[in-house]
């Protein structure tokens, strides 16, 4: 049974996010805010040829655009995006790190205007990133922070 191939049903139409760093799938669904949009299948800790273990997400009948899928870079920069139409992968897309992130991440500084004033949404500039972490700077209070799952709104 150890070599049993993993199976999540193929989809007819929608977006497949593949090669997700292990255990990031649920946080990525939070970031994409797609919970209400369609039928979502999630695989966690699947065996992979390319990476050690991977997660996978399939969102039926939703075509995520590049701006949306680039947000996945915050948690899993080596994921691949597959757009499926009529059962065929019509686009295989890499993700690029966005330059700015609006909303999505909470500023860790309790005195930041985004935490003290209700109508102020957050904005961060991506300062630098590598395989291990992504560092953001708050546009408003200039506090620098790595992307931590607990900061995802
Ligand atoms: N997929 C799907 N439904 C389809 C077609 C593909 O869910 N109708 C999924 C596959 O299960 C796979 C991903 O989309 O997880 C990419 O499919 P494909 O390009 O056929 O697979 P690979 O060649 O293995 O992709 P890669 O080279 O990116 O690993
Ligand atoms: Zn701030």
């Amino acid at each position: 049974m150890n070599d049993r191939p993993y199976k999540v049903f193929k989809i007819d139409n929608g977006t497949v996010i593949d090669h997700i760093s292990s255990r990031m799938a649920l946080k990525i669904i939070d970031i994409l805010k797609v919970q209400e949009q369609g039928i979502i299948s999630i695989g966690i800790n699947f065996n992979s040829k390319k990476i050690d273990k991977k997660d996978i997400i399939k969102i039926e009948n939703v075509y995520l655009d590049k701006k949306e899928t680039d947000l996945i870079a915050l948690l899993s920069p080596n994921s691949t995006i597959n757009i499926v139409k009529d059962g065929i992968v019509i686009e295989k897309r890499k993700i690029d790190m966005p330059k700015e992130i609006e909303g999505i991440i909470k500023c860790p500084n309790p005195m930041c205007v985004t935490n003290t004033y209700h109508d102020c949404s957050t904005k961060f500039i991506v300062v630098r990133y590598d395989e291990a972490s992504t560092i953001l700077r708050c546009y408003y209070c200039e506090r620098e922070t790595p992307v931590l799952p607990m900061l995802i709104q």
Side-chain angles (χ1 to χ4, degrees):
M1 283 297 268
N2 280 348
D3 294 332
R4 179 171 60 95
Y6 63 80
K7 275 274 176 280
V8 175
F9 290 111
K10 293 215 174 232
I11 61 174
D12 288 335
N13 294 289
T15 305
V16 176
I17 308 164
D18 201 356
H19 309 118
I20 300 172
S21 310
S22 174
R23 295 195 309 281
M24 288 297 169
L26 296 175
K27 281 287 164 196
I28 287 172
I29 288 185
D30 282 348
I31 283 189
L32 295 174
K33 303 199 188 310
V34 288
Q35 295 94 326
E36 323 254 294
Q37 286 187 38
I39 297 171
I40 304 176
S41 312
I42 304 169
I44 293 180
N45 281 339
F46 281 4
N47 293 318
S48 165
K49 293 193 188 90
K50 290 191 186 162
I51 50 181
D52 186 22
K53 296 258 178 215
K54 70 170 184 179
D55 291 356
I56 186 163
I57 302 170
K58 301 190 181 189
I59 310 161
E60 288 182 50
N61 300 318
V62 173
Y63 301 108
L64 295 174
D65 63 29
K66 172 112 174 90
K67 191 161 184 254
E68 292 171 299
T69 55
D70 278 354
L71 293 172
I72 295 166
L74 292 174
L75 294 175
S76 177
N78 295 318
S79 305
T80 35
I81 311 300
N82 301 273
I83 304 294
V84 179
K85 284 203 174 143
D86 297 326
I88 310 278
V89 177
I90 58 151
E91 183 188 347
K92 212 173 256 290
R93 186 191 294 159
K94 287 207 164 228
I95 53 182
D96 297 310
M97 183 64 74
K99 293 189 172 57
E100 292 183 1
I101 318 286
E102 288 190 60
I104 296 174
I105 309 276
K106 211 171 120 52
C107 182
N109 173 8
M111 301 308 288
C112 179
V113 65
T114 61
N115 287 317
T116 54
Y117 187 68
H118 279 310
D119 285 341
C120 188
S121 63
T122 65
K123 182 168 167 178
F124 290 90
I125 315 300
V126 177
V127 188
R128 60 185 176 277
Y129 61 93
D130 59 24
E131 286 294 311
S133 70
T134 302
I135 308 296
L136 307 178
R137 185 194 309 122
C138 178
Y139 177 81
Y140 295 100
C141 74
E142 304 205 325
R143 172 79 63 97
E144 288 197 6
T145 178
V147 176
L148 304 170
M150 59 176 273
L151 293 177
I152 293 167
Q153 290 180 331

